[in-house]
Amino acid sequence: MFKHLQKWCVTHFLGHSQRRARLVSKDGRCNIEFGNVEAQSRLIFFVDIWTTVLDLKWRYKMTIFITVFLGSWFLFGLLWYAVAYIHKDLPEFHPSANHTPCVEHINGLTSAFLFSLETQVTIGYGFRCVTEQCGTAIFLLIFQSILGVIINSFMCGAILAKISRPKKRAKTITFSKNAVISKRGGKLCLLIRVANLRKSLLIGSHIYGKLLKTTITPEGETIILDQININFVVDAGNENLFFISPLTIYHVIDHTSPFFHMAAETLPQQDFELVVFLDGTVESTSATCQVRTSYVPEEVLWGYRFAPIVSKTKEGKYRVDFHNFSKTVEVETPHCAMCLYNEKDAQARMKRGYDNPSFVLSEVSETDDTKM
């Protein structure tokens, strides 16, 4: 009992302290920050204000949304109040009975603010209205109406664009928790399972990977996050996947693979991060999206394969059981790719004949020991 508790504590607390840093989290977010960016470069974000607003978090976006509308209403409320003050339409000036104000029924700053709100939002209660007495008031009405349309179009368009971003569609694409290494088709492969949780398809899907690791060049230069291409395929290829059911993608560990010189014993000591990408076009909106996830050496299981997930019911329907989506089954697997290829070469040599260069045929003279 005490040993199990001690093992759990060591695994739980020590494992968290020694957890590897990731560039890409399991849900696809990039763990990177930019430091010492020049002030001139920061101004570029305001030049591309549309993308900047779209990338903002919802709490900041809604704060800007409310601030822009309230600020514009209050600013124009001050201007309407200034027009009424200059034209002496306010009650404190005691206008005469035949006095025609620029705006009817503006009695103070509060009523000016209400008139500004009604004008920009086009509520039109009919109680306060502009008269033909002041050209300044007519010009201000036109200017506020045009600016109000621009603000409405920009802010409402930004919110609609953020809601409909294909980034949310990527949330319904899920990868298996672990990657596995086992034999497939007589070859040693690294396998990952991916599933589409929606019935709508991703059109023109393409899967590929990047292996991130620190390398040292022959010149002595240390390259952090050096990227190596990892090709993933399915049985029908890696282009235009028919993504209607969960797929098992695999990478063949051959002589060109960076996993070729790794073994089951040395894999946990390796320092790398495998980032897997899935690009596709959303069928409903025709927008492109990208799904990302990553695997560190502790999440790559050597000698396992994924449990079956698709079955056929008695009614003739195909059923996907996501309970077994990340479940793995231990199978017999060579402990390194080099061993598998050496075994294949040995079996191939056994089927062929080879001359032994060290073999020497010595002639033996025959003697007749029989005497007549």
Side-chain angles (χ1 to χ4, degrees), residues 160-225:
L160 180 61
K162 189 172 181 65
I163 293 175
S164 60
R165 291 183 75 178
K167 185 178 181 180
K168 301 302 179 183
R169 175 64 175 89
K171 300 296 183 180
T172 56
I173 305 296
T174 180
F175 289 88
S176 57
K177 181 179 179 181
N178 297 302
V180 298
I181 295 179
S182 60
K183 291 177 65 176
R184 187 183 181 95
K187 301 177 182 179
L188 192 64
C189 301
L190 184 143
L191 301 97
I192 297 173
R193 179 172 277 174
V194 58
N196 178 18
L197 301 181
R198 287 186 178 273
K199 292 186 177 181
S200 59
L201 303 180
L202 284 180
I203 303 172
S205 301
H206 175 59
I207 297 178
Y208 58 97
K210 298 286 184 181
L211 186 69
L212 308 179
K213 59 186 302 185
T214 302
T215 59
I216 301 177
T217 64
E219 294 77 18
E221 179 185 4
T222 301
I223 303 177
I224 300 178
L225 298 180

Side-chain angles (χ1 to χ4, degrees), residues 4 13 34 62 66 72 114 122 138 222 235 248 269 283 290 292 309-310 342 348 356 366:
H4 290 287
F13 295 104
F34 299 98
M62 296 307 299
I66 296 172
S72 62
L114 291 175
T122 64
I138 298 174
T222 301
D235 294 334
T248 300
Q269 288 77 36
E283 185 180 28
Q290 183 182 86
R292 298 180 295 267
I309 191 174
V310 180
N342 291 338
N356 189 353
E366 295 183 357

Side-chain angles (χ1 to χ4, degrees), residues 110 136 140 358:
T110 303
T136 305
L140 186 59
S358 62

Side-chain angles (χ1 to χ4, degrees), residues 14 52 71 80 105 121 124 129 157 167 178 185 188 198 202 219 229 251 257 277 285 297 299 306-307 321 367:
L14 187 61
T52 302
W80 287 116
H105 303 292
V121 186
C129 60
K167 185 178 181 180
N178 297 302
L188 192 64
R198 287 186 178 273
L202 284 180
E219 294 77 18
N229 290 327
H251 163 71
S257 173
F277 303 85
T285 61
E299 296 171 343
F306 290 110
D321 185 9
T367 57

Side-chain angles (χ1 to χ4, degrees), residues 8 40 48 51 56 86 103-104 130 150 191 251 327 340:
W8 181 87
Q40 184 178 1
D48 187 14
T51 305
L56 288 176
I86 293 173
V103 181
E104 296 282 355
V130 177
I150 295 175
L191 301 97
H251 163 71
K327 186 178 180 180
L340 177 63

Side-chain angles (χ1 to χ4, degrees), residues 301-347:
L301 306 179
W302 195 296
Y304 288 83
R305 64 173 175 82
F306 290 110
I309 191 174
V310 180
S311 61
K312 192 173 183 180
T313 62
K314 296 180 179 179
E315 294 79 11
K317 294 183 178 180
Y318 293 93
R319 183 175 183 271
V320 179
D321 185 9
F322 280 94
H323 178 72
N324 295 334
F325 180 73
S326 295
K327 186 178 180 180
T328 57
V329 179
E330 189 173 3
V331 293
E332 183 179 355
T333 306
H335 76 283
C336 65
M338 194 175 299
C339 300
L340 177 63
Y341 282 92
N342 291 338
E343 180 183 353
K344 289 184 176 181
D345 292 341
Q347 293 177 355

